[in-house]
Amino acid sequence: MNLEQLVRANVWNMKPYSSARDEFKGDASVFLDANENPLNDKYNRYPDPLQWALKEKIGKVKGVSPEHIFLGNGSDEPIDLVIRVFCEPRKDNIVAIDPTYGMYQVCADVNDIEYRKVLLKENFDLDAAKLLEKVDSNTKLIFLCSPNNPTGNLLNRKEIEKILDSFAGIVIVDEAYIDFASEDSWLSELDKYPNLVVLQTFSKAWGLAAVRLGMAFSSPEIIRLFNKVKYPYNVNILTQNFVSEELDKLELRKEWISTLLKGRDYLKNELPKLSFVEKIYPTDANFLLVKVGDANGLYKQLADKGVIVRNRNSVSLCAGCLRITVGTDEENRILIDTLQSL
Ligand SMILES: *Cc1c(COP(=O)(O)O)cnc(C)c1O
């Protein structure tokens, strides 16, 4: 892989914004360099633009060194950044699995980048050879999502490996749901594959969707490119400090995950007992894709009773399907009771 050839020339050649906090690092007692108001202690100073203290802590939890970590305003930020760093509008293209998470195409569209979708197999498995057929000399990125949203399954590791081995561009593996999965993360393969970008988030297993913190893991060279293009202070101090404290609650988070996996088993057992449930797809995430006769009708009936699920009827390969998130034990029971009453 030749990084300089892959990156947009303007991004490769530009000089990034240099903030006051970039230019002076070290100990001092009088800071008159950033036009801050000195009178509102705790919140008056610009935060660390590269969030090193938080990255150290995340790195310990993930077994990755801080230079391999990018932090953003949710995963949405690195999804947008990877496109802006590598893809030349109206010239380059992106190849992605279909169905998958909708933000990849939204960000491609905003940036005016052609987005090529390749259908998964009927059972939602990845066919690497079929996906690679869509790749041409202008393909810069391949988006994969494992466990995939909205299907819930892990993509086959060997097929992902084939793509990492044979594609000369960047492969993004979105692992938003990896904490609920039965297989290990791709994080341990970062050194082996310099073209791999792994996305994770605090929005799902960590229970922090409102806080907006997403992670990208990759080679230090690729992380530096993200840092070059991002807004200088993209993660505010409230988020940095709060997540740093949340990272101490590793035991609690383990308990949450085991509670949610039990809830998933409960729904897996109860849903097939309903006459209109045709199929529950295998899942490695905190949601289930469920095939029912009339997804639109059932969605409305549930909504009328105050129970909201996600209607995926119009998504590729998901006709007749609802996506149901695992809730609290009580929410799961209400869902099943409500379905039984219809
Ligand atoms: C929920 C989800 C995310 C999380 O996005 P954030 O911006 O971090 O909240 C990322 N990818 C996928 C596939 C998701 O389903």
Side-chain angles (χ1 to χ4, degrees):
M1 184 182 70
N2 181 332
L3 202 56
E4 182 174 356
Q5 271 176 20
L6 277 178
V7 174
R8 291 169 70 192
N10 61 310
V11 170
W12 188 264
N13 294 322
M14 69 179 261
K15 203 167 153 293
Y17 176 72
S18 178
S19 69
R21 287 295 166 267
D22 286 319
E23 282 178 12
F24 178 83
K25 288 184 198 104
D27 281 331
S29 54
V30 181
F31 284 99
L32 305 177
D33 58 345
N35 300 345
E36 297 151 336
N37 178 338
L39 302 178
N40 191 25
D41 219 11
K42 267 172 84 180
Y43 304 113
N44 57 333
R45 302 291 177 186
Y46 283 101
D48 175 4
L50 294 173
Q51 311 101 21
W52 286 117
L54 182 54
K55 283 178 185 171
E56 286 282 348
K57 222 162 162 178
I58 290 172
K60 287 211 177 81
V61 172
K62 301 283 176 189
V64 171
S65 64
E67 324 81 69
H68 290 273
I69 306 175
F70 170 86
L71 299 178
N73 188 338
S75 311
D76 298 336
E77 184 176 353
I79 290 168
D80 185 55
L81 272 177
V82 73
I83 295 175
R84 287 197 285 145
V85 164
F86 289 101
C87 299
E88 197 60 41
R90 292 176 291 282
K91 176 174 167 241
D92 291 332
N93 67 70
I94 293 169
V95 173
I97 55 169
D98 181 42
T100 193
Y101 186 47
M103 274 307 284
Y104 316 140
Q105 173 149 28
V106 169
C107 290
D109 288 347
V110 167
N111 288 291
D112 210 355
I113 309 299
E114 185 193 346
Y115 184 83
R116 303 180 174 179
K117 303 191 224 183
V118 181
L119 271 190
L120 293 169
K121 296 188 204 167
E122 267 319 300
N123 63 359
F124 304 135
D125 262 351
L126 170 65
D127 181 342
K130 185 176 164 195
L131 187 125
L132 290 166
E133 276 172 22
K134 283 274 187 183
V135 168
D136 66 18
S137 59
N138 290 321
T139 305
K140 293 292 187 70
L141 309 177
I142 291 178
F143 272 97
L144 304 174
C145 183
S146 180
N148 189 28
N149 179 4
T151 60
N153 60 308
L154 280 159
L155 300 180
N156 185 296
R157 252 188 133 72
K158 287 262 170 316
E159 295 298 295
I160 296 182
E161 245 163 42
K162 282 186 202 164
I163 292 171
L164 282 163
D165 282 330
S166 58
F167 178 53
I170 306 295
V171 180
I172 299 108
V173 180
D174 187 341
E175 294 188 334
Y177 300 98
I178 194 66
D179 299 293
F180 305 105
S182 55
E183 279 182 20
D184 289 338
S185 162
W186 280 87
L187 279 184
S188 54
E189 308 297 308
L190 281 180
D191 288 336
K192 185 168 172 196
Y193 298 107
N195 60 338
L196 172 63
V197 175
V198 175
L199 301 180
Q200 292 188 7
T201 179
F202 283 90
S203 295
K204 307 285 155 66
W206 289 87
L208 295 170
V211 170
R212 309 309 301 138
L213 193 69
M215 299 165 269
F217 303 89
S218 192
S219 69
E221 291 75 21
I222 290 177
I223 297 299
R224 275 199 292 275
L225 289 161
F226 292 171
N227 288 338
K228 204 173 171 184
V229 174
K230 77 180 183 77
Y231 291 159
Y233 304 106
N234 60 326
V235 179
N236 70 71
I237 196 72
L238 301 175
T239 295
Q240 289 188 44
N241 290 344
F242 188 75
V243 172
S244 182
E245 282 173 29
E246 291 291 296
L247 281 161
D248 294 332
K249 305 178 185 169
L250 290 178
E251 277 312 307
L252 179 64
R253 187 175 134 272
K254 256 196 226 159
E255 283 169 34
W256 285 348
I257 291 171
S258 103
T259 301
L260 294 174
L261 293 184
K262 278 185 206 137
R264 187 172 82 185
D265 284 341
Y266 166 78
L267 293 179
K268 241 196 263 180
N269 274 326
E270 294 302 315
L271 287 166
K273 297 178 187 165
L274 299 157
S275 61
F276 43 82
V277 169
E278 293 172 13
K279 183 166 182 166
I280 316 271
Y281 289 92
T283 180
D284 265 284
N286 66 334
F287 58 84
L288 296 127
L289 190 70
V290 182
K291 187 163 189 171
V292 296
D294 171 19
N296 291 341
L298 194 57
Y299 172 83
K300 278 205 200 77
Q301 282 180 295
L302 278 174
D304 286 344
K305 304 227 166 184
V307 177
I308 313 302
V309 297
R310 193 93 152 112
N311 185 359
R312 299 287 76 186
N313 185 52
S314 55
V315 170
S316 316
L317 304 180
C318 298
C321 290
L322 299 176
R323 191 193 69 192
I324 302 177
T325 308
V326 178
T328 61
D329 290 348
E330 194 192 356
E331 288 171 323
N332 298 337
R333 213 163 353 92
I334 292 172
L335 169 78
I336 297 297
D337 289 350
T338 308
L339 286 168
Q340 280 168 350
S341 74
L342 297 178

